[in-house]
Amino acid sequence: MERSLRIGVVGAGLGGTTAAGLLQRAGFSVVLYDQMPAFSRLGAGIQLGPNVMKIMRRLGIEESMAAVANEPQYWCSRNATDGAYLSRIPLNADRARYQAPYITIHRGEAHQIMLGAVDVANVQFGKCLADLHVHDRGVRLSFMDGTSDDVDILIGADGLNSCVRAKLLGPEDPLFTGWIGHRGMIKASKLAGLDVGECVKWWSSDRHMMTYFLDHKKEEFYFVTGEPAESWPLGVSWVPSTHAEMHKSFAGYDPLVRAYIDAAENITKWPLYTRRPLPVWHRGRVVLLGDACHPMKPHMAQGAAMAIEDAAMLVRCMSEIETNDPNTCFEAYRHHRMGRASRVQEVSNANTWLRTNEDPSWVYGYDVYGIDLHA
């Protein structure tokens, strides 16, 4: 597509920021909008595998991100009650195979580094989308602050509650999955003397706890759980929780897990939502990526990865396919992404990933830049 096109990206999360950075490097004029008034170190832990870090390499930030992150050698799964090992799968211990690192990091730290790969002049905070109008020549965006802007192409990377998707396909409430997650941060000094693994998932029949370090110095430790729940109030994004509530939910778990609960600060509880599969990923001059079109449970730690892969494939299609027809580029993008995103979504929903020893190379060994766009 013509590099003179002005591309708008709504949503400066990990997928949208990746898209903006790669578009900028491909020579497009790009503007990245986000409703937040300014950058904030939001979120908690995130895992980024070699499939993502190869894209960070294209943004020029792979080394800087890995330098502040933890690089676990193995993924381990352990039985909830007696701590017996169910699997031990090489991550950075098999780095030569994947040709990129596997990192665990604070999401806000990763986000800040990624935003640094986008020209600050191309980022507009405080822009909450109110409406959009698609016409033959482009898209008119109207924001809640009363301003408007015009772009030639619009990318909706605004997450589960995407305004772009709602304007494109109509409003629809997300679907509660019947699962919630607790999150907790721990100062690693509180775990001194304990046999703490670098990247461990604890499993029982109907719930789990994922644990890992967030930084290179191993000073911050994090857990996130998955637990069944009958309901969640619509419109409530999270609520505070307590040590007592967690101890009740994880009664009978290994003493190490219970020690994590005792050591945690500011425990919070979050709902897990999904959506029905979308009939289309694009329409006219508007295209969606990440949770805006295929949200999934976080049980493979690949939700953000799928958004980042989407962004990289979309930019490849826009910059490498010789056409000025947006629909041709967008349909190629959907063709190359739908199968993989659907497979990851299916495995994530099943919550079986790496519980026992298996080869994860179909996920971590994937290289978006090795895909033949004409296949």
Side-chain angles (χ1 to χ4, degrees):
M1 299 182 73
E2 293 180 0
R3 298 304 193 270
S4 61
L5 293 176
R6 188 167 190 256
I7 315 297
V9 182
V10 172
L14 303 189
T17 300
T18 299
L22 294 173
L23 285 165
Q24 180 180 286
R25 279 158 178 74
F28 290 98
S29 173
V30 61
V31 57
L32 178 62
Y33 311 98
D34 197 85
Q35 64 182 349
M36 296 294 292
F39 171 77
S40 181
R41 192 174 184 260
L42 297 175
I46 191 169
Q47 304 179 58
L48 300 176
N51 50 317
V52 171
M53 296 305 288
K54 291 170 186 174
I55 300 170
M56 298 301 100
R57 186 177 300 163
R58 298 287 179 136
L59 287 171
I61 58 174
E62 176 190 16
E63 292 184 0
S64 58
M65 193 174 287
V68 298
N70 184 51
E71 298 183 58
Q73 294 299 302
Y74 290 88
W75 165 294
C76 294
S77 286
R78 299 183 68 175
N79 185 58
T81 55
D82 61 8
Y85 282 85
L86 307 174
S87 70
R88 188 170 184 266
I89 296 168
L91 298 175
N92 288 296
D94 209 4
R95 182 166 174 171
R97 180 190 190 193
Y98 296 121
Q99 297 297 301
Y102 189 110
I103 69 169
T104 56
I105 189 171
H106 192 288
R107 185 187 185 96
E109 189 77 28
H111 193 190
Q112 187 169 30
I113 293 170
M114 292 169 69
L115 273 171
V118 182
D119 190 329
V120 66
N122 296 337
V123 184
Q124 296 186 22
F125 286 106
K127 295 296 180 182
C128 182
L129 187 66
D131 202 359
L132 63 88
H133 173 65
V134 183
H135 52 83
D136 291 342
R137 299 177 305 281
V139 185
R140 165 63 64 93
L141 306 176
S142 300
F143 298 100
M144 295 293 289
D145 63 2
T147 63
S148 61
D149 204 357
D150 292 285
V151 295
D152 298 300
I153 298 291
L154 178 64
I155 299 172
D158 47 343
L160 175 74
N161 296 307
S162 170
C163 181
V164 176
R165 184 199 58 250
K167 296 297 181 182
L168 199 67
L169 301 173
E172 183 181 51
D173 288 335
L175 304 174
F176 179 57
T177 62
W179 283 70
I180 59 95
H182 277 97
R183 297 178 184 176
M185 303 283 289
I186 304 171
K187 292 180 180 178
S189 58
K190 292 186 175 182
L191 304 176
L194 298 179
D195 182 20
V196 177
E198 284 190 302
C199 187
V200 179
K201 188 169 181 177
W202 297 80
W203 304 75
S204 59
S205 61
D206 69 341
R207 64 198 64 211
H208 64 262
M209 176 186 281
M210 183 75 221
T211 66
Y212 49 85
F213 289 99
L214 296 178
D215 61 308
H216 185 71
K217 294 180 180 180
K218 296 184 173 62
E219 294 176 344
E220 283 189 294
F221 194 74
Y222 171 70
F223 66 70
V224 60
T225 72
E227 306 156 55
E230 291 185 2
S231 62
W232 186 271
L234 186 64
V236 177
S237 57
W238 63 276
V239 297
S241 189
T242 65
H243 296 83
E245 183 177 357
M246 281 207 69
H247 275 302
K248 181 178 180 181
S249 185
F250 288 88
Y253 260 61
D254 188 90
L256 185 54
V257 170
R258 299 178 70 77
Y260 293 157
I261 295 171
D262 286 333
E265 306 170 16
N266 301 319
I267 299 173
T268 55
K269 185 166 62 174
W270 302 71
L272 303 185
Y273 281 104
T274 188
R275 287 188 180 274
R276 296 182 181 89
L278 293 184
V280 296
W281 286 21
H282 60 90
R283 180 172 292 168
R285 291 177 171 267
V286 182
V287 62
L288 303 172
L289 64 77
D291 281 356
C293 60
H294 51 69
M296 60 189 69
K297 288 181 181 178
H299 301 334
M300 284 178 70
Q302 286 292 309
M306 292 301 101
I308 292 168
E309 287 183 8
D310 283 355
M313 179 58 75
L314 177 58
V315 175
R316 280 199 66 198
C317 291
M318 292 175 65
S319 59
E320 296 179 31
I321 295 176
E322 296 182 1
T323 180
N324 289 321
D325 176 27
N327 185 69
T328 299
C329 292
F330 297 162
E331 188 55 27
Y333 151 71
R334 186 202 62 81
H335 168 74
H336 288 293
R337 291 300 302 158
M338 180 172 279
R340 177 169 170 83
S342 297
R343 184 181 179 189
V344 170
Q345 189 177 46
E346 180 181 0
V347 176
S348 293
N349 289 341
N351 192 27
T352 57
W353 180 243
L354 306 187
R355 183 167 187 161
T356 57
N357 285 311
E358 62 177 291
D359 183 0
S361 62
W362 71 270
V363 175
Y364 304 146
Y366 177 86
D367 184 353
V368 69
Y369 296 101
I371 303 300
D372 181 0
L373 296 185
H374 302 287

